[in-house]
Amino acid sequence: MVQKVGIIGAGQMGNGIAHVFCLAGFDVLMSDISQDNLDKAMDTIAKNIGRQVSKGKVSQESADAAIARITPVVGTDGIGDCDLVIEAATENEEIKKQIFQDVCPKLKPEALLATNTSSISITRLASTTDRPEKFIGLHFMNPVPLMKLVELIRGIATSEETYATAKEIVNKLGKTTASSEDFPAFIVNRILLPMINEAIYTLYEGVGSVESIDKAMRLGANHPMGPLQLADFIGLDTCLSIMQVLFEGLADSKYRPCPLLVKYVEAGWLGQKVGRGFYDYRGDEPVPTR
């Protein structure tokens, strides 16, 4: 039975995953390499749960109890007590593999291991661990507290028992699962990121401005936000990483990352998290940068 969950990474995805697990009654160990990151994550979780309280979705008593179930820790001390460990680090295969090599010797034999990767092969990541049969992809959507879907991705060695347990856990979080085969970028990002990349090509080729492209897709396709705004929200470095996985994994030129996306990432214009991407967020209102 899974009761204690370890989450490695306290960034945007990690703190969101911690948020939904603590509210669902799980004990959470939230690990990061930086105390500053952990402090920011706890502040974010408290604010987001507080917002749910103010809307009447969660009682103050439940909110206080949920936050108290999170133990933030620098490093991975205590990870051995966890029944499930979810890696939620940056979308970089080598970093993820290094985390698994560090964590696996500390885990109890029956512990399940999961990755929140949005694009990287589950089979390949699992092969670097000591428990490929207990390894699975749990791809939460951003922002985690609001988005209902979790993609479940089995590697070639993932056992049926691991899959069934993972599905049951996601259901306890009040979320819905969609099962994907282990192909680059799975389902959501296999469809979504090429659309975003095409929007960037549309900007690169001068077909429309940032404002025109986003307005066209909001009003013409009824999307809740334009693709360039969405790219900024996701993080342009993450968008580029996923496109590179698609391009390299499927060997099809239609997945070639737009040179303008590469240029923005090289400039450090990574989107909302740094204050500048396709929009400049440093003023009162976002302003298109092209």
Side-chain angles (χ1 to χ4, degrees):
M1 180 181 174
V2 172
Q3 178 55 40
K4 186 172 184 179
V5 179
I7 297 163
I8 300 176
Q12 191 174 39
M13 296 305 296
N15 73 61
I17 296 169
H19 175 146
V20 297
F21 268 98
C22 74
L23 270 182
F26 293 87
D27 296 321
V28 176
L29 180 78
M30 185 167 61
S31 161
D32 200 277
I33 58 173
S34 159
Q35 184 63 51
D36 186 48
N37 288 349
L38 289 167
D39 292 342
K40 289 177 181 175
M42 291 302 295
D43 285 345
T44 298
I45 293 167
K47 287 176 185 174
N48 289 340
I49 291 181
R51 198 172 291 122
Q52 290 176 295
V53 171
S54 66
K55 293 180 179 178
K57 295 181 178 179
V58 176
S59 71
Q60 187 62 58
E61 184 180 9
S62 296
D64 293 341
I67 293 170
R69 281 192 283 268
I70 303 176
T71 302
V73 61
V74 175
T76 53
D77 289 345
I79 206 83
D81 292 334
C82 295
D83 306 306
L84 165 67
V85 173
I86 303 172
E87 170 274 315
T90 187
E91 191 69 356
N92 179 293
E93 185 167 342
E94 294 311 310
I95 290 174
K96 292 178 185 295
K97 286 179 177 178
Q98 187 58 53
I99 288 170
F100 295 134
Q101 288 166 10
D102 173 60
V103 165
C104 281
K106 302 175 182 179
L107 300 180
K108 53 190 177 184
E110 64 272 23
L112 301 182
L113 194 53
T115 175
N116 184 55
T117 181
S118 56
S119 63
I120 301 167
S121 166
I122 303 303
T123 297
R124 203 159 62 238
L125 291 176
S127 71
T128 66
T129 77
D130 62 354
R131 60 195 68 213
E133 73 288 347
K134 294 182 180 294
F135 190 97
I136 194 165
L138 286 177
H139 178 209
F140 289 82
M141 305 293 134
N142 186 30
V144 180
L146 298 180
M147 300 295 278
K148 291 294 185 183
L149 184 73
V150 178
E151 282 183 311
L152 290 185
I153 310 101
R154 278 181 278 203
I156 195 169
T158 306
S159 71
E160 190 61 41
E161 182 182 1
T162 297
Y163 175 80
T165 301
K167 188 171 185 178
E168 181 183 352
I169 290 167
V170 173
N171 289 339
K172 286 181 180 177
L173 300 178
K175 298 196 180 294
T176 300
T177 60
S179 297
S180 170
E181 293 299 319
D182 189 18
F183 281 85
F186 319 130
I187 295 172
V188 173
N189 283 333
R190 172 75 177 266
I191 297 167
L192 177 63
L193 264 297
M195 184 201 76
I196 288 174
N197 195 52
E198 193 63 27
I200 300 170
Y201 266 114
T202 305
L203 178 65
Y204 178 60
E205 294 168 3
V207 179
S209 65
V210 169
E211 186 177 13
S212 293
I213 292 165
D214 276 355
K215 184 190 298 181
M217 294 306 291
R218 282 198 315 272
L219 303 182
N222 204 28
H223 289 188
M225 67 172 71
L228 301 175
Q229 181 188 4
L230 179 56
D232 277 355
F233 180 73
I234 294 169
L236 302 192
D237 51 340
T238 301
C239 292
L240 178 59
S241 294
I242 295 170
M243 288 309 303
Q244 288 169 332
V245 167
L246 281 167
F247 187 46
E248 293 163 10
L250 298 172
D252 192 324
S253 61
K254 72 181 181 180
Y255 298 115
R256 182 172 73 98
C258 178
L260 185 60
L261 174 59
V262 176
K263 186 177 290 187
Y264 269 58
V265 172
E266 288 176 343
W269 293 15
L270 307 181
Q272 285 187 17
K273 61 188 173 185
V274 298
R276 188 186 296 185
F278 291 110
Y279 293 86
D280 190 325
Y281 299 91
R282 294 173 297 175
D284 293 335
E285 295 289 336
V287 178
T289 52
R290 288 177 79 89

